[in-house]
Amino acid sequence: MPKGKRKGKFEHRRTEQPSSSDEDAGIDMTNDNCSETSAQSDLKSNHEEAENEIQEKLEEKVLEIIDALNARANAARAAAFVSLRGALQRRYLAGVLSSQRVTLADHLCKALRRGRDGERKAAAAVAPLLALQIGEEGTEEFVREVRPALAATAVDKSASLDTRTECCSSLAVLCYLLEEDVTEILEIMRMYETIFSGSYLKGDGSVKVSGAVVDEGQWHAAALDGWALLLPLLAPRHAASVLQQHAPSFAKLAELLEACSLEVRMAAGGAMAVAYERVTEEGEAEAEAAAAQVAAALPRLEQLSRDSHKYRAKRDRKLQRATFRDILKFFEEEEVPSLRVRVGAEAVWCESWARAGAYGALAAALGAGLQALAPHSAPLRAALGLGAAAPPPPAPRRRADKLQRHLQNSAACKARTVARAKNRDKRSAALAAI
């Protein structure tokens, strides 16, 4: 029928068409102008372009944040300090901050001296990151300007306890990393002692349980942790003389084990371990004297390592027992818990109480910035025991303006069009020859 005739005619025509597959014609449809090496180079170039673009955007954002520190509203300045800390934790920005050292130090000091609590706390939190990010040339001047403001705010009774606590922690990290003057270190340690002396026992040997002492426990603990962080910076003989001639002695540190605040008790135990570890490095005589002083506190340490009072929170009981078990084991068997922490592609070994305390303080103060700054900051690498600093990164290529990018894209598009046309001509010639 007509319908079947049309179907047969269509099949006959289809079978009579000549074969024109690419394999029979011997034509390679791949782009001859794009080799594997060039493709990898293009990927690497694209990755570098993306990284440079991210770096440039972050630098522009940081400059905008620095401008926002001039805002009239206190809340706006506090938010700018918080944003600046978040940006500094992401990448190493010494290239853009080195030229802003004077401005940043001025903003930081003004915020600490005349700002409100939110601004003062945010400014204190960002101080260690700024000190490590502004470059080595301006670090000494920056620390000299910012340290007095942090110390004054740490003992300012008009500031909130959270602000004073933040100032104590930031000041300790700042001095631990960048302060080389032993006189200044001793002055800061004496200031810390005046703070946590509020948790000493009363004259009759009873524990202070007033509401003010309970509320100030976190502040006292931050000061005690700062004191313990700075003590290993002294020579062993000097540290031994400080513990013998100035407060706090081992006996005073043992008094803090009776404090009603969990933070103070744990900080006191860690400070005793750091002090004993540092003093015993000098010789046998100093080790025997320190052991005799610590022996009186061993019953209390054992009691804290087994404390199971139900009036304490379950988490607090577990944390206290775990902490004081390690401390008691150190004093009885001289065994230090070993800790290995990954920082980027490197590893930090904490094989002493001083090193473990330093890592804890740095991690708390720098946050995610610890990993971003570790490859570049020499003081931070020395504190973590990572060896020499890596070479500075190459300066990022500046992004071309809009017109230049348009011309470059047009030239690349034209080159791709010419290459495709050549392949198209080769294919047409091969098909014509069949």
Side-chain angles (χ1 to χ4, degrees):
M1 301 300 293
K3 187 174 181 180
K5 290 181 180 179
R6 285 199 300 270
K7 182 176 180 181
K9 186 177 181 181
F10 174 76
E11 290 180 351
H12 177 71
R13 287 182 179 177
R14 186 178 62 182
T15 55
E16 290 180 351
Q17 288 181 352
S19 174
S20 60
S21 65
D22 296 335
E23 294 181 357
D24 295 339
I27 301 175
D28 186 7
M29 293 300 295
T30 59
N31 188 357
D32 295 334
N33 296 323
C34 181
S35 64
E36 183 178 356
T37 304
S38 63
Q40 294 176 356
S41 178
D42 291 340
L43 290 175
K44 184 178 180 180
S45 177
N46 293 336
H47 178 71
E48 292 178 354
E49 289 290 340
E51 287 292 321
N52 293 336
E53 185 174 356
I54 294 173
Q55 182 79 10
E56 290 171 7
K57 288 182 178 180
L58 187 58
E59 290 178 358
E60 293 174 0
K61 180 181 178 181
V62 168
L63 292 177
E64 293 176 359
I65 293 172
I66 294 175
D67 291 337
L69 295 175
N70 292 313
R72 297 184 62 182
N74 184 277
R77 295 194 300 271
F81 276 118
V82 173
S83 299
L84 181 60
R85 187 172 188 266
L88 296 181
Q89 288 178 334
R90 293 175 58 188
R91 284 176 178 265
Y92 187 64
L93 300 171
V96 68
L97 293 178
S98 58
S99 60
Q100 303 287 331
R101 182 193 62 80
V102 177
T103 303
L104 290 169
D106 184 58
H107 283 307
L108 208 61
C109 293
K110 285 182 179 179
L112 290 169
R113 291 193 174 103
R114 293 181 287 183
R116 295 182 182 177
D117 273 329
E119 183 181 1
R120 297 171 95 176
K121 182 180 178 181
V126 80
L129 281 166
L130 278 176
L132 294 175
Q133 290 260 31
I134 59 175
E136 296 182 1
E137 296 182 359
T139 300
E140 185 177 354
E141 292 80 4
F142 182 85
V143 173
R144 189 185 305 119
E145 295 175 14
V146 173
R147 184 184 60 238
L150 283 171
T153 308
V155 296
D156 187 0
K157 295 298 180 66
S158 64
S160 66
L161 288 172
D162 289 341
T163 299
R164 282 179 272 171
T165 301
E166 192 69 49
C167 286
C168 286
S169 301
S170 296
L171 179 61
V173 171
L174 205 65
C175 293
Y176 180 78
L177 291 175
L178 303 170
E179 185 58 66
E180 299 179 357
D181 190 352
V182 178
T183 304
E184 295 292 343
I185 294 174
L186 289 173
E187 182 179 351
I188 297 299
M189 292 177 67
R190 283 192 291 268
M191 183 202 72
Y192 282 145
E193 196 275 334
T194 61
I195 294 174
F196 63 76
S197 63
S199 291
Y200 287 158
L201 297 179
K202 296 180 181 180
D204 58 357
S206 61
V207 181
K208 297 179 181 179
V209 293
S210 63
V213 175
V214 175
D215 294 338
E216 294 175 352
Q218 193 172 2
W219 178 39
H220 294 176
L224 187 52
D225 285 334
W227 181 89
L229 180 65
L230 298 181
L231 182 66
L233 297 180
L234 306 178
R237 187 179 297 275
H238 193 181
S241 65
V242 167
L243 289 167
Q244 292 173 2
Q245 302 174 9
H246 305 281
S249 61
F250 280 105
K252 285 294 184 181
L253 291 176
E255 288 185 11
L256 295 176
L257 297 175
E258 306 287 344
C260 57
S261 172
L262 172 65
E263 290 81 3
V264 174
R265 293 196 300 271
M266 293 175 58
M272 288 186 66
V274 171
Y276 181 82
E277 187 179 61
R278 190 59 174 167
V279 169
T280 54
E281 292 179 4
E282 179 62 25
E284 295 183 0
E286 288 76 7
E288 292 178 359
Q293 294 175 344
V294 170
L298 291 180
R300 177 57 178 165
L301 291 173
E302 185 175 0
Q303 181 183 2
L304 290 171
S305 66
R306 299 178 180 179
D307 187 7
S308 60
H309 291 298
K310 297 298 182 181
Y311 63 84
R312 303 190 197 278
K314 183 176 180 180
R315 175 187 173 278
D316 292 349
R317 295 199 306 267
K318 292 179 64 176
L319 185 60
Q320 176 179 281
R321 288 197 297 266
T323 301
F324 282 101
R325 277 198 298 266
D326 292 337
I327 295 173
L328 184 64
K329 193 172 184 178
F330 168 68
F331 285 127
E332 292 180 343
E333 304 177 11
E334 296 186 358
E335 182 177 342
V336 180
S338 181
L339 177 65
R340 181 177 181 270
V341 184
R342 296 288 299 178
V343 179
E346 300 174 285
V348 176
W349 289 92
C350 302
E351 298 179 341
S352 65
W353 284 101
R355 180 62 62 83
Y359 174 79
L362 294 173
L366 303 179
L370 182 68
Q371 183 171 344
L373 295 176
H376 311 288
S377 175
L380 182 59
R381 294 184 66 83
L384 296 175
L386 294 177
R397 293 182 296 176
R398 305 306 299 179
R399 192 178 180 184
D401 57 24
K402 188 173 182 179
L403 177 59
Q404 290 178 343
R405 293 199 304 272
H406 175 70
L407 295 176
Q408 291 173 358
N409 291 336
S410 299
C413 181
K414 185 177 181 180
R416 287 194 298 269
T417 303
V418 171
R420 283 196 296 266
K422 289 182 178 179
N423 271 335
R424 215 174 281 122
D425 293 342
K426 291 178 181 178
R427 181 182 178 188
S428 300
L431 290 175
I434 296 177

